[in-house]
């Protein structure tokens, strides 16, 4: 999805750090990033933070927000209702109403994304930090740290030795 193994490795490092610092696990981060790239949307860490803040504030999964953004970018606004955002279309414009404030933007992917990014960056800034300190956030971080440890072991020579022993144990059990 990133165009090269080198770009994928760089993106994966960013996603690992994002998962470590937020209440969202690595699987959610990778899945969200992949959806954004596949749909031609902004897959930056800043976008993930904004969408993550909105999702965290609403008690939702990161990918629920990303899917709502993806739908909205193509003119489908139904999922935004889950986040308290109503939309109405008038010609080349779309009006979003959130918390009683209506904002009208051009009905194109770039303007719609910009509006939704702004909500996460202003109305819900810091929501992931708050959620990361809750039990589910701490457990998610612990899981990501453990996954990182397993990945480091697997990529080292020690990983091969552990795999051999695990295979021998499986054979013995069978």
């Amino acid at each position: 999805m990133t165009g090269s193994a080198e770009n994928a490795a760089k993106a994966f490092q960013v996603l690992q750090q994002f998962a470590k610092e937020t209440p969202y696990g690595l699987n959610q981060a990778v899945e969200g990033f992949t959806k954004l790239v596949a749909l031609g949307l902004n897959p930056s860490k800043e976008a993930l933070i904004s969408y993550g803040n909105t999702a965290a504030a609403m008690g939702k999964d990161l990918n629920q927000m990303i899917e709502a953004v993806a739908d909205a970018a193509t003119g489908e606004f139904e999922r935004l209702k889950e986040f308290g955002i109503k939309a109405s279309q008038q010609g080349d414009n779309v009006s979003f109403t959130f918390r009683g404030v209506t904002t009208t933007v051009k009905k194109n992917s770039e303007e719609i994304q910009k509006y939704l990014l702004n909500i996460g960056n202003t109305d819900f800034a810091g929501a992931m930090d708050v959620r990361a300190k809750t039990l589910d956030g701490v457990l998610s971080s612990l899981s990501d740290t453990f996954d990182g440890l397993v990945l480091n072991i697997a990529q080292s020579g020690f990983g091969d030795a552990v795999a051999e022993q695990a295979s021998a144990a499986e054979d013995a059990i069978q």
Side-chain angles (χ1 to χ4, degrees):
M1 296 301 295
T2 60
S4 73
E6 183 179 314
N7 288 342
K10 287 179 187 176
F12 190 68
Q13 286 180 336
V14 170
L15 294 170
Q16 283 179 306
Q17 190 64 34
F18 174 83
K20 186 176 180 181
E21 296 171 352
T22 70
Y24 300 112
L26 183 59
N27 287 342
Q28 282 190 63
V30 170
E31 184 179 339
F33 175 86
T34 303
K35 284 179 185 177
L36 290 170
V37 172
L39 296 167
L41 302 175
N42 179 2
S44 69
K45 183 176 180 181
E46 292 76 19
L48 289 171
I49 289 170
S50 174
Y51 301 147
N53 279 332
T54 301
M58 297 290 186
K60 303 279 187 183
D61 180 277
L62 173 64
N63 284 304
Q64 287 177 283
M65 181 60 188
I66 289 174
E67 289 170 1
V69 171
D71 284 357
T74 62
E76 298 292 327
F77 304 108
E78 189 66 28
R79 289 190 191 195
L80 290 178
K81 290 179 184 176
E82 294 177 39
F83 296 90
I85 303 168
K86 295 178 184 173
S88 62
Q89 303 175 58
Q90 313 91 349
D92 291 339
N93 295 322
V94 60
S95 294
F96 294 104
T97 303
F98 179 67
R99 292 185 173 173
V101 176
T102 301
T103 303
T104 302
V105 302
K106 291 288 181 193
K107 189 179 166 185
N108 63 54
S109 179
E110 185 178 324
E111 290 294 314
I112 292 168
Q113 284 180 83
K114 185 177 174 182
Y115 171 77
L116 295 172
L117 286 167
N118 186 55
I119 289 176
N121 291 333
T122 56
D123 293 272
F124 299 124
M128 281 193 302
D129 293 335
V130 172
R131 188 165 173 192
K133 293 175 183 152
T134 65
L135 179 60
D136 69 318
V138 172
L139 291 176
S140 174
S141 182
L142 176 63
S143 175
D144 290 328
T145 301
F146 182 76
D147 290 346
L149 173 65
V150 170
L151 182 62
N152 285 336
I153 289 171
Q155 291 176 339
S156 72
F158 183 66
D160 294 337
V162 171
E164 274 183 41
Q165 294 303 315
S167 180
E170 179 185 16
D171 290 344
I173 291 171
Q174 286 181 356

